[in-house]
Amino acid sequence: MEINWTEIENKWRSKWIENKDFEANPNEKPKKFITVAYPYPNSPQHIGHGRTYTLADVHARFYRMQGYNVLFPMAFHYTGTPILGMAKRVEANDKELIDNLKNLYGVPEESIKEFVEPIKIADYFHEEIKTGMIEMGYSIDWRREFTTIDPVYSKFIEWQINTLREKNLIIQGSHPVGWCPKDQNPVSQHDTLGDVEPDFTEYVIIKFKFEDYIIPTATLRPETVFGVVNLWVNPEIIYKKITVDDEKWIVSLECAYKLEFLDKKITYDGEIKGSELIGKSVTVPHREESIIMLPANFVESGTGTGVVMSVPAHAPFDYQALEDIKKTHLEPELFTKINQIVPISIIETEGYGENPAKEAVKKFGVVDQNDPKLEEATKEVYGKEFYGGKLKSNTEKFSGIKVAYAKDTIKDWLIENKHADILLELTNTPVKCRCGAECVVKVLNNQWFLNYGDKDWKKLATKCFDKMNILPQEIKSEFNYVIGWLRERACARQHGLGTKLPWDKDWIVESLSDSVIYMAYYTISKFVNDKTITAKNLSKEFFDYVFLDKGNVKKISEITKISEDTINEIKKEFQYFYPVDSRHSGRDLVPNHLTFFVLNHVAIFPESNWPKEIVVNGSVLMNGSKMSKSMGNIIPLRKAIQDYGADPIRLAIIISAELLQDADFNMESVSGIQNKIESLYQECSRLKEDKIENLEAEDRWILSKTQNMILQVTTAIEKMRLREALHDILFAFESDLNWYMKRTKAKNRENISGILHQINSMRVAMLSPFAPHIAEEMWEKLGHSGFASRSRWPEFSQEDIDAAAIQSEELLKSTIDDVSNILKVTKITPQKITIYTADSFKSKIYHSILEKVMVGQTNMGSVMKELIANPDTSDVKRIPDFVQKTIKDILSEPTEIRQKKLESKEFDEKSFLVDELTELGEKDFGVDIQIFSESDSNLYDPKGKARHARPFKPAILIE
RNA sequence: GCGGGAGUCGCCCAGCCUGGUCAAAGGCGUAGGGCUUAGGACCCUAUAUCUCAGGAUUUCGUGGGUUCAAAUCCCACCUCCCGCACCA
C-alpha cells in the first residue's frame, strides 16, 4: 500500500486549521513560548531553513502534548539591504540573477517584472516561504504574523532603540565601510560584482620629514619604526605633492585618492618624479636620524602610499632589495652610502639570530627581489615574530614587550606624537560595485554604535548565559568567547529598509539591531492584526507599560485613545507568554544574532523576563556537500514537499544528524524513512483495540520494554536529542517487537492484538511531533478519536517495568544465541539438544559473588577466600573455575543489570525454560529440546556437560 | 594566532558527558536465500581475523598514562573543518 502523502497532509492540515489548533491565548495552563529566527525573504526557503523550523516545531508539538499552552509564532524580516541590491540588478536586467529567479526559484515572469521594487521581492518570497511553512505542517499561530516594516513594529523599534539610548548604551563615533564613490553609498557583499565582501586592513602611516614635506610610508608593523635604515621609492612613479589638512605630503596618486575618503581635506599642489628622490635623505621620526631614499621596483603605487620604509633585519623584501642594489651600477657616492647601511635588529625571537630576514631569505633560497618565494619568507618571519617575538633594548621604553602587544601600543604612541596616521585600504582589490565603479574605503562620521564593549553590560549578559539552558551544551563556551571579544557595533545604516533612528532621521536602524527583542512583539502583534491598536498615538509610555510594567494606565489610555481594559489585556498577554522559553536558530547566528538577543534582553527587560533557553542546530548538506547556488544543488523546500511529502522530509532531516552536526539530506535517507513509515502505517491499519488479560512472560517483557522506550524518548526530546528519540521510536524498538512476534508465534498465540494496539498507539503518539500528518492518519486507523497531536504524551510508569521478566527473557535469548553459536562453529546437524541449568547452590554463590563485585571486590583470590571462610559457601572449593568465570560474567554486564539481579530474587531457570524454550527452540532448531537442572536425579548427561552450568548461563549438549 | 568542533569496522554515521550490555547500533553497499511474470518494495542470513562447543586474537587518528576493566577518563602529538564582525 503506497501512501499518498499529499492527500493525507492536506486532509489533516485543513482539520487542524478548522480547529484553530495552534492558536494560543493566555489561559490557566502553564505556557511555553517557542520562537525561531524569522526568515529574510529574498529567496525561497530551502531544506536548510526547514531544519531549524522543523526542530522548533517538534519542540512545540512535544510541549503541547505534555499539556503546555504553547505559543509558536512566525514573522518576516524585511529590514536590510540585500533585496535593494536585487531590485537594482533586476532593473539592470542582470541575466544571472534573472535566470536564477526563473529556473532555480521558479518565480513566474510577471512577478519578476515587479521585482524592481524591493518590497515586491520581499512580499513574493514572504508568501512563498509562508506557504511552505504551512505545507510542512508547522504548528504556527499565524494570527501573530508581521513584517518588520509594519508601522507599529517601527514604533516598537523606536521604543527599543530609545530605551537603549536612555541607558547610555548607544554611542557615536566614526567607522570605516566599503564605499562606492559613484553611488555615494556603502557597499556590502550583495552590492558588488561577483558578490565579494569588501575586505580592508588598517595601515599605520609613518611620517618621514623631507625638506618642507612629509614622506609617509604605510606599514602593518609600526613597531619596526625602530629598525628603519632607508626608504624605498619607485623611480618610475610620478608622485603627487599634496596638502593634507595642514601638512604637505608626497604620495602616489592612488594614495591621495584613497585619503580623500578617509576624512581628510586634500589639495593637489604638484608632482615629483620618483627618480628625483633617490639618494636624498629623510629624517626618521622620534629618532631624528637621517636616512637615505633608494630605488626599488617592488614598490607599487597602488599599495599604501607608494613609498615603503626599509627594515632589512626583519623584512625579507627589504633585505633582498638591499642586496640587489649593491650589485647594480650606481654613483660611487651613493654606493659608499649603501655599503654603510647596517640592518638594525630590534626583535628577539626564539629560533632566529641577529637578522631573521637574512636567515629566511637563505632558507627559502630567494634569488632576487622579484622572487615569489619572498612572500613565503615574509609570512614566516612576520608570523614568528608577531606571536613569539620580544622587543630589544634599542626600542627604548618598549623594550621587553611582546610584539603582539607592542604593535598597538607603539601605534598609539606614534599617533599621539603626530609621527603617524592611519590609512585604510581594501585588501581584495579590485572590488567593483554593481554599477561598475571601483570601491574604496570610506570613514563614516557620526555613526551610531551599540556599545557592546561595556563591561557592566557584558556582566549582565554573562549572568543570563550562566542561568540559561543552552542546547547543545558544547556551544556555551562559544557564547562566552563572543561576549568576551565583542566591542562597539554599528547599529544604523544609511540605506536599506527599516525604521529610522528617532533622533537622527538620516539613519536607519540596522537589521541585526532591529531583530533582537522582537519576540516580545508577538504578544502584541495579535492586537495589531485585529486592528485593536494602530501606529497612531502609540507612545513610549504605552510600550513602557506593556513590556516593563511602568507608568499609569489611565494616562496612557488618554494618550493612545485605547481603553484601559484593552491596554491591560495586552499587558496580560505579554506577562503570560514572556519570557521566551526556547529560542531556536542555526549555528551561524551564534556570534551575532543570538548573542545580541541576550545582550538586548538583559539591557531592556528585568531578570524575570530574560530568555530561558537557546537551541542551536547545524546546517544541511545535500548529498554530502554544501548547498550553493553555483553547485545548483539547492532544493527549495516546497519542491521537496511535492516530491517526497512533508513528513518524510521532516523525518529525514531529523534522523540524519544530532543537533549541532551537519545533516546530510539525500534520496536514500528519504526513501528509507518512507518505507519505514509505510510499514508502520500498514501495521496500524490492521490493529484493532482489544482487551489485554492474562499476561504471559513475553507480554510483561514487551510492556516493560515499551516503558523503557517511553522514558528514553522523553528524556531525549527534553535534551533536544531528536535524532535519538526518533531512532528509538522507529528503529531501536523494532528489534524488540520482532522478538516478541517470534515468541508469540512459537506459542501460536492469538490474543496479542490488544497489546500490539496499545504499544503502537503509544508509538504513534510519540511519532506525532515528528511526522504530524501521517501520525494523525495512523491514529485514526487505530480507531482513536480526536487528534494524535492533541493526545496526551505517553507517561513513563516505573510500575509497568517487570525486572524479572526482562531478566528471564534475556536468559532465553542468550541461551538460543549460544545454541546457534555452537551450531555455527561446529557445523553439526543437531539430533537432540539438552540444556542444563545451574543448581541452587551455584545461585547462592552467584549472589554472594555479585554482592562482593558490587562493592568493588574483583580480585579472584580474595573473593575465593571469603567464600571458603563462610560455611554456607565453603563447598565452593570444589569448583574454583566457576568462581573465576562467574566474576567475569558479572563484570561483563552493565552496572544497572547487576543492580537488578542483586535486587531480584533467584528465579527458577529450569521451569521457565521448560515453559518457554521447548516450543520456541524446537521451531528454531527443528529438534527436541530437553531441559534439566544439573542436580536432577534423572539427569541425562552422557558427556558430563551439566557441571559447567552457571546461573544465567546454562550448559548445553548438542548431539 | 585566538576560539570552537571533528578523526570509529568498505562508505555515511551512533556510542564518549555517566568506563563494564562494545567486535562496537542504525543506514547504505556487497553476497546468498525467500517473495514477485519481471522490476521495485519487503523479509531472512552473512559481512575484522582465526576457530568442528558457546571461544580466542587484533581493532575506534598516533604515542603514552590511570584502572581489575578504556572507543569512553588524563597527558602529548598529528590531521581536517568552522568562526574572527558591523553582513543577513
Side-chain angles (χ1 to χ4, degrees), chain A residues 153-168:
Chain A
Y153 189 77
S154 279
K155 290 276 184 186
F156 170 72
I157 293 303
E158 283 177 18
W159 170 77
Q160 170 201 325
I161 213 94
N162 273 326
T163 307
L164 290 170
R165 197 175 181 213
E166 280 164 24
K167 293 178 187 258
N168 290 321

Side-chain angles (χ1 to χ4, degrees), chain A residues 520-780:
Chain A
Y521 188 79
Y522 283 125
T523 64
I524 69 167
S525 61
K526 187 178 100 183
F527 299 98
V528 178
N529 291 343
D530 71 10
K531 308 265 191 293
T532 309
I533 47 179
T534 60
K536 219 177 128 197
N537 301 328
L538 272 196
S539 65
K540 167 185 156 41
E541 289 80 6
F542 171 80
F543 292 111
D544 276 346
Y545 183 74
V546 171
F547 294 135
L548 303 177
D549 200 13
K550 277 200 259 183
N552 180 315
V553 68
K554 205 168 165 194
K555 248 197 197 154
I556 295 159
S557 177
E558 279 165 22
I559 304 172
T560 58
K561 316 268 190 297
I562 304 171
S563 78
E564 285 181 34
D565 284 353
T566 308
I567 294 173
N568 278 325
E569 193 193 337
I570 295 170
K571 183 172 110 179
K572 213 183 95 197
E573 182 110 3
F574 171 77
Q575 288 180 336
Y576 176 77
F577 281 117
Y578 238 62
V580 172
D581 289 286
S582 190
R583 174 96 183 136
H584 284 253
S585 163
R587 75 171 306 174
D588 50 331
L589 298 186
V590 168
N592 42 68
H593 165 77
L594 285 171
T595 307
F596 304 156
F597 157 70
V598 169
L599 277 159
N600 283 275
H601 269 86
V602 301
I604 293 171
F605 293 104
E607 198 170 329
S608 55
N609 276 334
W610 290 1
K612 291 222 179 309
E613 180 178 82
I614 284 179
V615 181
V616 178
N617 65 269
S619 59
V620 176
L621 304 177
M622 225 27 242
N623 291 313
S625 53
K626 246 183 162 174
M627 281 192 272
S628 71
K629 270 186 226 160
S630 54
M631 297 263 297
N633 61 352
I634 298 180
I635 299 198
L637 191 58
R638 294 193 59 199
K639 168 109 175 56
I641 296 170
Q642 270 171 28
D643 290 352
Y644 311 123
D647 282 347
I649 294 168
R650 293 172 64 117
L651 295 171
I653 290 173
I654 291 167
I655 202 79
S656 60
E658 213 56 88
L659 262 189
L660 212 52
Q661 251 70 52
D662 288 343
D664 190 10
F665 187 84
N666 53 52
M667 198 43 219
E668 290 92 65
S669 56
V670 177
S671 65
I673 212 86
Q674 278 177 331
N675 295 334
K676 188 84 228 167
I677 294 294
E678 265 166 38
S679 62
L680 183 61
Y681 178 59
Q682 284 169 27
E683 175 91 4
C684 289
S685 311
R686 272 199 308 271
L687 294 171
K688 291 280 162 286
E689 195 162 358
D690 206 350
K691 46 182 184 297
I692 302 171
E693 47 187 16
N694 303 327
L695 292 182
E696 301 198 18
E698 64 274 16
D699 299 336
R700 289 194 299 274
W701 176 80
I702 192 72
L703 290 173
S704 299
K705 283 286 184 182
T706 309
Q707 287 304 318
N708 255 332
M709 173 184 60
I710 292 172
L711 182 64
Q712 274 176 21
V713 170
T714 310
T715 50
I717 298 184
E718 277 162 0
K719 291 182 195 159
M720 280 308 280
R721 302 182 62 124
L722 300 189
R723 176 202 156 105
E724 187 183 317
L726 190 53
H727 188 265
D728 285 343
I729 299 169
L730 287 181
F731 296 101
F733 190 66
E734 201 81 335
S735 61
D736 289 338
L737 220 46
N738 282 342
W739 173 253
Y740 178 71
M741 296 310 286
K742 183 175 167 179
R743 289 271 278 132
T744 50
K745 221 180 235 167
K747 290 167 125 182
N748 291 318
R749 288 182 55 189
E750 307 262 320
N751 58 341
I752 57 164
S753 71
I755 287 178
L756 288 177
H757 181 270
Q758 190 191 54
I759 289 172
N760 276 309
S761 295
M762 291 195 251
R763 277 175 98 190
V764 168
M766 288 192 288
L767 183 65
S768 153
F770 299 92
H773 311 91
I774 192 70
E776 298 290 4
E777 189 71 19
M778 291 173 181
W779 191 250
E780 191 180 67

Side-chain angles (χ1 to χ4, degrees), chain A residues 14 139 157 183 219 237 339 496 498 548 588 706 708 787 828 838 852 894 957:
Chain A
S14 47
S139 55
I157 293 303
D183 292 347
T219 179
I237 297 175
N339 270 325
L548 303 177
D588 50 331
T706 309
N708 255 332
F787 292 125
I828 55 178
K852 295 188 202 311
L957 171 68

